Amino acid sequence: MTVENNAAPAPAAPTDFIRDIVAGHIAEKRYAGIVTRFPPEPNGYLHIGHAKSICLNFGIALENGGRCNLRMDDTNPTKEDVEYVDSIIADVRWLISGWADAHLGFKAKSATTETRTIDGRTDYYAAPAAPGTLAVEPFFASDYFDALHACAVELIKRGKAYVCDLSPADTDAYRGSPDTPGKDSPFRTRSIEESLALFERMRAGEFPNGARSLRAKIDMASSNIWLRDPLLYRIRHADHHQTGVKWRIYPLYDFAHCLSDYFEGITHSICTLEFVDHRALYDWILEALDLPRPLPHQYEFAKLNLGYTLVSKRKLLQLVQERIVSGWDDPRMPTLSGLRRRGVPAAAVRDFAYHIGITKFDSLTDVAVFEHAIRENLNATAQRRLGVLHPIKIVLTNLAPGEVIECDATNNPQDENPTTRKVALTREVFIESDDFAEVPPPKYFRLKPGGEVRLKYACIIKLDEIVKDASGAITELRCTADLTTRPGGANVEKKVKGTIHWVSASHCVDAEVRLYDRLFTVPEPVAQEDFTKFINPRSLEVITAKLEASLGDALPGQVFQLERTGYFTPDAKNSRPGKPVFNRTITLKDTWAK
RNA sequence: UGCCUGAUGGUGUAAUGGCAGCACAGGUGACUUUGACUCACCUAGUCAUGGUUCGAAUCCAUGUCGGGCAGCCA
């Protein structure tokens, strides 16, 4: 006998090949718990492509009662900066807030790996912060430099790594090419003792950059280039934003990443497709060390490509450096900070990530899917307000100067029990210039000579006279308001085709409004030889709008729908109470415009 | 030309040998004090060829096309 479940159905958990793999591991009880990680390099701001990965990794942690560690993959000191560390933390917290916060893995501040012995073998473990720990921070690969160094020494002792004196150019030449095997370095047969001594001198800073490297001893003839004795450590006389002057050698990605995963007890290490060829190396390093705990495994999915958008840290950096945009958080940028400033809710980004799925297919997602997620979220949540972007003045000739008629306006018709607010109807109001046509096209429902239209929440008006100046430009439209069509009036049920938005000329606030459009004119800017040639010249239009008075002191973080127009949010950097600056998040769909 | 990887409506994704479904986009209509939302309907797909099978998007073979790999970047 089954029990009827009348509760609102929880959104079906997404399924994809990676979640299927995880589910299989859970079924066979392979791990004590599921631990994923999101490991950005702090060399740029997070963007919508990272959001896909964040939602995948945190989603898997959430769905399985596990944890997702935030880790800075900071093994290359010359490219990284703390500015990026801070922005990454803020962006991740914003994206998962109210969703997967409880599954965010941070460590106690300044904590590093603990060294212990399991079954007679040395082990290194990076624990997450205990619940209730006050000072926490993300994990850092640079926290593991000592442990990583010890692992490198162990590899040399096992005869699985050697110090190579080949120059970068020679190393390259010896590697061969994809279709021709490489050849062994002359230093490959160097004794363990000599490599150990040389590696120690590398660490001590005795050699210049590029003079020597530590390499794994695998197979120079492998069909997989990444197995042709890959470099594990390089000499870098550079200070690190986390470890300062301590190190003169730094581990490379392939060596640091698999071990960082292991140290943290990661079970599923999920990355993008370009790392498929590295997986054999990932496994080789972990197996060569004979580690005592269960090993993490790498799984790969296709990264996001979004139409009319650039999803590449390097190219976004170029937009910033060449001042094509105002910064990483320019509201036209696909960065999380840009989207946030634009007014895109984190929940909309998450819904989007959910809808696009996870596969190994290299696809180009239509921006319309993202725009739909934004509109769907905002339609349900945004307070409605009245605002006129391109004003044209109306004089309601049958209202007295100074007369104020209070109208009830609905805050959000999508609410179960919608609330209302008062808006003032006065003799002079503004309407959208688009909502008037002296010579109307066919099926034009708005204001036209001799025609009638409803001012939303107020009453029906009739156009009597068009007033023009000497040059023929329209200065005002003189109309009669039919006050019997107001709510409660005798003719409130009277139907007209058009209902338009408006604001009182005396009860409104001027606001700078930034109208954003897509940044690029082509669906695939990345496919162009020079994407900077395809910047949309109209990606930003700045206007002064007339907004309902209540919008004068709106706060950043709030997103409003200006009825019949779009969604707008106060700009977090430039908006001030009484002197508001609004960003247009997105327009409403407009089937009439087509 | 070596290795890896992939191919399902316009786009993205599901179907794990058994009715090709969902979302977005597009179209038509209904509703509407937002030309929004909502609702209804419509359009449109398994890369090709062969094989296995009662039955193939799914398994096998061959081909075609796409993506990735030769940083002391990640």
Side-chain angles (χ1 to χ4, degrees), chain A residues 159-178:
Chain A
K160 295 184 179 212
Y162 61 98
V163 170
C164 179
D165 300 357
L166 249 27
S167 69
D170 284 342
T171 305
D172 204 36
Y174 274 65
R175 187 157 34 228
S177 64

Side-chain angles (χ1 to χ4, degrees), chain A residues 2-7:
Chain A
T2 57
V3 177
E4 196 88 33
N5 182 4
N6 293 321

